[in-house]
């Protein structure tokens, strides 16, 4: 499966890229630094899943998720956030996300979430 990382922090993108490159089931489709950048690149990158940070400048992850869900309904969005508040979760799921992972989770949890949403199921961090 092809994965796109969208996060405004380069260190986060670099870290996720490094971990993803070691996984045989996941191929990195590309990266973007904000929602607007992701929408511009998504057609060329053709990801199956987008790992989307929620708090970003220019266009936040919730609005980007809403637009991806509307324009590319076959692409799954997995929200990645430092907030564990139910309101954040509800808001991004309503926008069309297929899952929600809290940033203080281990990489294994993110991988589990990616596999879950790739099968068409919803994933929520415990």
């Amino acid at each position: 499966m092809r994965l796109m990382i969208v996060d405004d922090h380069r260190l986060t993108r670099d870290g996720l890229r490094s971990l993803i490159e070691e996984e045989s089931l996941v191929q990195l489709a590309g990266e973007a630094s904000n929602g607007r950048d992701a929408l511009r690149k998504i057609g060329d990158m053709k990801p199956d899943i987008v790992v989307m940070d929620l708090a970003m400048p220019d266009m936040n992850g919730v609005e980007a998720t809403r637009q991806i869900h509307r324009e590319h309904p076959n692409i799954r969005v997995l929200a990645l956030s430092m907030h564990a508040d139910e309101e954040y979760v509800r808001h991004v799921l309503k926008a069309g996300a297929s899952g929600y992972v809290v940033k203080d989770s281990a990489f294994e949890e993110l991988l589990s979430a990616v596999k879950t949403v790739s099968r068409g199921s919803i994933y929520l961090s415990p």
Side-chain angles (χ1 to χ4, degrees):
M1 77 193 88
R2 294 176 49 79
L3 190 76
M4 179 179 189
I5 301 168
V6 183
D7 196 296
D8 60 322
H9 294 102
R10 184 177 179 152
L11 186 60
T12 301
R13 292 192 316 270
D14 289 350
L16 286 174
R17 180 184 342 102
S18 176
L19 292 166
I20 287 166
E21 287 173 346
E22 295 181 17
E23 290 298 319
S24 60
L25 296 175
V26 181
Q27 177 188 9
L28 187 63
E31 303 174 17
S33 60
N34 60 58
R36 194 169 315 285
D37 189 30
L39 289 168
R40 209 172 23 251
K41 293 177 176 179
I42 203 164
D44 292 333
M45 293 181 182
K46 296 178 179 45
D48 300 305
I49 298 172
V50 175
V51 175
M52 178 78 69
D53 183 23
L54 296 184
M56 297 180 290
D58 199 18
M59 179 187 287
N60 68 46
V62 175
E63 181 55 33
T65 297
R66 184 175 290 110
Q67 290 188 34
I68 289 169
H69 184 66
R70 184 178 59 238
E71 297 170 18
H72 306 276
N74 294 331
I75 296 175
R76 304 261 181 212
V77 176
L78 181 59
L80 187 62
S81 177
M82 64 182 185
H83 301 285
D85 184 89
E86 280 185 41
E87 188 61 31
Y88 279 91
V89 176
R90 242 188 319 272
H91 197 57
V92 75
L93 290 177
K94 187 176 180 182
S98 297
Y100 194 98
V101 176
V102 180
K103 278 190 173 181
D104 69 353
S105 302
F107 180 67
E108 289 75 22
E109 182 178 348
L110 179 63
L111 262 180
S112 179
V114 165
K115 291 174 187 174
T116 299
V117 301
S118 74
R119 293 188 304 263
S121 298
I122 300 291
Y123 183 91
L124 300 174
S125 281

